[in-house]
Amino acid sequence: MFLVAISGPPGAGKGTQSKLLVQEFGFEYISTGEALRREMAMSTEVGKQIKMLMDQGNLVSDEIVTDIVRDVVKESIEKNARGILFDGYPRTVPQAMLLDEIIEENNIDFIGMIGLEVDENVLINRILLRGKTSGRNDDNEESVKRRLDEYYEKTEPVLDYCKLNGKYFGVDGEGEVDEIHQSINDIIKTYI
């Protein structure tokens, strides 16, 4: 089994490209946001802890997020999945280091981090347009800038970490959806 992560700032097209990759390669799709919401909905002990942290306005710790990822990886292995696609994980360098441990523990081939690279002005315009059509309350200019700042502060160092390990693949995220998808496919097909 192999693992690939897709990263990029808000509005880069991670969700769109993830759906296409799942369809084409049959990946198990893991969005940590969805996994956290699932834990809360099931009212597990971890889910209760997550809810308490989020209700207080705190971020969920790297360790809790990674424990959830570890469980989802084990489920994927039990299903005999072909591969796993992470959308937006790891988000911090400590998460990336913990993911390395999970990969080693489970003897998974890590293709790497595919980063969708998009100019900030393009991102802002995309998100504001999405906000008008999707009704998402967090797609406003103030929220967008705050989310981008958080991405630059916490997630860009993950890309540097992956680059140091030869596991980062930058893809121009400003073209047509099909062109971007083909660039990602070319990377993945080199390794599988």
Side-chain angles (χ1 to χ4, degrees):
M1 180 171 27
F2 59 88
L3 185 148
V4 64
I6 190 162
S7 183
K14 296 182 299 294
T16 299
Q17 291 301 324
S18 293
K19 287 176 190 168
L20 294 171
L21 293 170
V22 167
Q23 289 171 357
E24 182 155 344
F25 293 103
F27 291 138
E28 288 292 313
Y29 173 73
I30 300 174
S31 161
T32 51
E34 287 177 16
L36 292 172
R37 287 187 289 278
R38 184 180 74 181
E39 290 291 325
M40 288 189 295
M42 293 182 347
S43 291
T44 64
E45 285 304 312
V46 172
K48 291 174 187 172
Q49 195 175 4
I50 293 166
K51 182 172 178 4
M52 184 183 72
L53 287 167
M54 292 175 87
D55 286 349
Q56 295 171 350
N58 296 319
L59 294 174
V60 179
S61 72
D62 292 331
E63 290 78 14
I64 290 174
V65 172
T66 301
D67 284 345
I68 290 170
V69 167
R70 184 175 272 116
D71 290 343
V72 175
V73 167
K74 285 182 183 171
E75 288 172 23
S76 298
I77 291 169
E78 289 168 8
K79 288 183 197 176
N80 203 23
R82 179 178 186 202
I84 301 170
L85 172 66
F86 283 111
D87 176 351
Y89 179 86
R91 288 197 173 171
T92 65
V93 172
Q95 286 180 8
M97 294 169 81
L98 291 167
L99 179 60
D100 285 344
E101 290 177 18
I102 294 170
I103 289 167
E104 190 172 323
E105 288 167 9
N106 293 286
N107 198 26
I108 297 171
D109 291 324
F110 181 48
I111 292 174
M113 172 76 69
I114 296 174
L116 297 175
E117 299 173 347
V118 183
D119 180 76
E120 185 172 319
N121 291 326
V122 173
L123 293 169
I124 292 169
N125 289 332
R126 279 185 187 174
I127 295 171
L128 294 178
L129 179 63
R130 181 177 73 186
K132 290 176 185 173
T133 59
S134 72
R136 281 181 55 168
N137 293 335
D138 62 338
D139 283 347
N140 59 65
E141 197 157 349
E142 181 182 323
S143 174
V144 169
K145 290 188 183 215
R146 189 172 53 250
R147 286 163 40 207
L148 285 172
D149 286 345
E150 184 171 319
Y151 172 82
Y152 296 137
E153 179 185 335
K154 295 180 180 171
T155 306
E156 274 201 342
V158 174
L159 307 183
D160 294 334
Y161 176 83
C162 290
K163 286 175 188 174
L164 284 173
N165 294 308
K167 294 291 185 177
Y168 177 79
F169 306 93
V171 171
D172 181 357
E174 292 187 33
E176 294 295 319
V177 170
D178 291 342
E179 293 171 359
I180 298 165
H181 180 63
Q182 188 58 54
S183 296
I184 295 170
N185 277 4
D186 291 346
I187 293 165
I188 293 172
K189 286 178 180 175
T190 302
Y191 292 91
I192 62 171

